[in-house]
Amino acid sequence: SAAAAGPGAVHRYDDALRIEQDRRTTLRADLDGALARGELRLVFQPVVDVVMHRTVSVEALLRWRHPLFGDVSPSEFVPLAEESPLITEVGRWVMHEACATIAALRDTDLGVAVNVSARQVRSGELVPDVISALETTGLPSSRLIVEITESVLLDDSHVIEDLTVLRQLGVRVAVDDFGTGWSSLAYLVGMPVDVLKMDQYFLANVEHDPARRAMCRAVLQLGSSLGLPVIVEGVTNEAVLTLLRDMGHRYLQGYVFARPLEAAQLAAGAWDVRTERSEALPVPAAPP
Ligand code: C2E
Ligand code: MG
Ligand code: MG
Ligand code: MG
């Protein structure tokens, strides 16, 4: 117990808890205005087709440079933003900024994937926000992918209709963190979905765990049964890359190819793994 750990341990525990709570309170307060102060930015991580040996899209990932705490992870502050209508404002900015950044790239038809929170989808603002972002930036709808989480598909509200409208406009819908939630083959049939993004959970210890490998294979088969491509994210090293590719996984994203890139690096062409990492990329097997 904390008491057994010696005098002062309880205080240290209390202090840690208080600091943690203070941090959350501060972040929650500071988030309001972070956008206006220019503290938010997007970085972009390539998704690689290991058969065609090229980058097919980039995922836009939000970053917050807090004046006191430095870079704060979206895993920490997006949930805080989700507690308030602020997420709608931030989400609108992300959608516009992602489309504008990709539309400004020259000589490419690169796609861009934008994460959209559940609250943002439920707000009913998603369709107008997407239309406005596409119209003002000139990005063709075929180059935009909207990433939602599995739970959003469970809503019986307008959500399914809104996603259907997006697809009618030519925007693709990806299910993020797929495979650990409620989803079943039966449920996914007929859903307005174009892409599955496999949850990183399946990659934990995948090199040494036959069960995880079986799951990676199962997700790929599920996708193929549904006619949906599967993207594996969080591919961190060469061993996992080789394992997945040999399994038949074609679309991979992770540090092994590229860390999320700053907009300036993107504009300089760093999204193209052929030029960035060509010697580190294994040559795919020749098609039969
Ligand atoms: P996500 O959409 O599942 O994004 C994938 C996360 O995996 C990103 O973390 C990415 O940086 C990280 N990652 C990429 N390659 C590797 C790798 O090789 N190994 C490991 N271990 N991780 C890798 P990040 O950027 O910290 O984002 C965390 C989550 O925050 C995202 O998960 C997404 O749910 C949320 N998020 C990020 N940007 C936005 C946004 O603009 N809007 C909303 N609503 N949520 C966002
Ligand atoms: Mg995502
Ligand atoms: Mg994910
Ligand atoms: Mg995630």
Side-chain angles (χ1 to χ4, degrees):
S1 77
V10 172
H11 290 291
R12 284 200 296 277
Y13 176 77
D14 285 349
D15 285 350
L17 205 66
R18 189 178 45 74
I19 289 167
E20 175 61 34
Q21 279 164 357
D22 285 354
R23 180 181 163 100
R24 253 205 308 277
T25 307
T26 308
L27 287 179
R28 209 178 270 121
D30 291 353
L31 196 54
D32 190 12
L35 195 55
R37 291 189 302 271
E39 293 167 5
L40 300 184
R41 73 183 195 284
L42 293 180
V43 290
F44 301 85
Q45 189 179 37
V47 175
V48 177
D49 174 346
V50 293
V51 173
M52 295 306 280
H53 207 244
R54 66 185 199 107
T55 303
V56 288
S57 56
V58 290
E59 177 176 13
L61 295 162
L62 191 55
R63 294 291 178 266
W64 180 13
R65 176 72 49 84
H66 189 276
L68 223 65
F69 302 125
D71 271 330
V72 183
S73 164
S75 318
E76 185 174 8
F77 74 80
V78 168
L80 297 179
E82 278 225 61
E83 292 170 5
S84 82
L86 207 56
I87 190 67
T88 312
E89 192 192 329
V90 172
R92 182 178 299 134
W93 177 82
V94 168
M95 184 61 67
H96 182 272
E97 186 73 9
C99 291
T101 306
I102 299 307
L105 297 177
R106 305 206 152 269
D107 307 318
T108 174
D109 56 0
L110 198 64
V112 62
V114 178
N115 291 285
V116 166
S117 79
R119 182 165 180 150
Q120 208 181 334
V121 183
R122 287 175 189 134
S123 76
E125 303 281 323
L126 182 62
V127 171
D129 285 353
V130 165
I131 291 173
S132 150
L134 293 175
E135 276 179 2
T136 52
T137 66
L139 187 77
S141 59
S142 60
R143 292 174 60 188
L144 178 63
I145 302 137
V146 167
E147 292 193 6
I148 54 155
T149 50
E150 280 179 314
S151 63
V152 165
L153 291 174
L154 274 178
D155 284 29
D156 8 86
S157 61
H158 58 88
V159 166
I160 302 299
E161 285 156 52
D162 286 3
L163 296 176
T164 304
V165 170
L166 290 184
R167 292 181 79 224
Q168 284 163 351
L169 293 171
V171 174
R172 278 166 291 166
V173 175
V175 184
D176 206 351
D177 305 334
F178 176 79
T180 56
W182 48 270
S183 307
S184 69
L185 183 62
Y187 198 90
L188 275 173
V189 170
M191 277 293 174
V193 162
D194 302 277
V195 179
L196 304 178
K197 288 195 84 171
M198 191 176 89
D199 198 281
Q200 292 188 32
Y201 163 86
F202 296 110
L203 294 189
N205 200 33
V206 68
E207 297 147 271
H208 307 108
D209 186 348
R212 295 287 164 112
R213 283 201 291 284
M215 290 186 233
C216 289
R217 227 173 265 119
V219 172
L220 186 62
Q221 277 159 7
L222 179 59
S224 112
S225 309
L226 292 161
L228 303 177
V230 174
I231 297 174
V232 181
E233 64 182 2
V235 185
T236 307
N237 62 54
E238 295 281 342
V240 174
L241 161 60
T242 304
L243 186 151
L244 291 166
R245 205 196 35 178
D246 290 352
M247 204 179 271
H249 275 287
R250 176 174 180 176
Y251 302 104
L252 309 180
Q253 176 184 358
Y255 300 157
V256 71
F257 298 111
R259 297 250 160 194
L261 304 161
E262 299 292 334
Q265 296 176 290
L266 201 69
W271 55 268
D272 190 349
V273 294
R274 282 175 305 184
T275 55
E276 276 297 289
R277 290 282 310 230
S278 50
E279 64 293 315
L281 267 182
V283 180

